[in-house]
Amino acid sequence: MAKILFRLNGVPDDEAYEVRELLTNNAIDYYETAPGNWGVSMPAIWLNDDSQFEKARALLDTYQNERTVRMREEYDRLKREGKNRTFWDAIIQKPVSFATHLALALLVIYLSIRLILDLAP
């Protein structure tokens, strides 16, 4: 029976590619499910053979620990060089999108407060 190994929700493309490569290089038989047309299905990597789960889980845990160290080192390097992306950089890169989201958030807050005040005696 198939067993889920790795959920792909919110996983960067490079990480998903490296996990697939890791499994293929270690002769672990797997298949992948997509999120579907509307994104309601669960994208994941599944093992075809339950007996390979322990080996695959150990390989994946080792890979994720190594990736965590690698990504932290990369972040620290970018921070030292002053090239890390900040909140302000994100605003400057997409000012219209930021303004739209801010306006929508403020509208929701305003309407919520107004509803509460209108219902109060």
Side-chain angles (χ1 to χ4, degrees):
M1 181 171 198
K3 189 167 186 172
I4 190 167
L5 176 68
F6 188 68
R7 286 180 171 81
L8 295 171
N9 292 339
V11 173
D13 291 338
D14 65 319
E15 183 176 1
Y17 174 78
E18 290 173 357
V19 168
R20 289 183 204 107
E21 188 176 332
L22 176 72
L23 296 173
T24 302
N25 291 343
N26 287 282
I28 296 175
D29 191 25
Y30 69 93
Y31 68 93
E32 193 171 332
T33 54
N37 292 336
W38 296 284
V40 294
S41 300
M42 182 175 55
I45 293 177
W46 300 73
L47 296 181
N48 285 324
D49 184 6
D50 287 352
S51 65
Q52 293 182 317
F53 183 76
E54 295 301 322
K55 177 183 176 185
R57 186 79 252 166
L59 287 168
L60 189 58
D61 289 343
T62 302
Y63 162 75
Q64 287 182 322
N65 289 334
E66 291 170 357
R67 182 175 172 87
T68 299
V69 170
R70 195 172 70 229
M71 292 296 112
R72 284 184 183 156
E73 288 172 354
E74 177 71 13
Y75 174 76
D76 289 340
R77 182 184 64 77
L78 289 172
K79 195 172 180 181
R80 277 193 311 275
E81 294 173 0
K83 295 180 180 177
N84 63 318
R85 187 171 174 204
T86 63
F87 179 68
W88 185 249
D89 293 333
I91 293 171
I92 291 174
Q93 187 177 7
K94 295 182 178 180
V96 174
S97 176
F98 174 76
T100 303
H101 286 96
L102 181 61
L104 288 173
L106 292 173
L107 178 65
V108 168
I109 292 169
Y110 168 75
L111 292 174
S112 299
I113 292 172
R114 175 124 188 226
L115 176 67
I116 291 170
L117 292 176
D118 287 347
L119 292 177

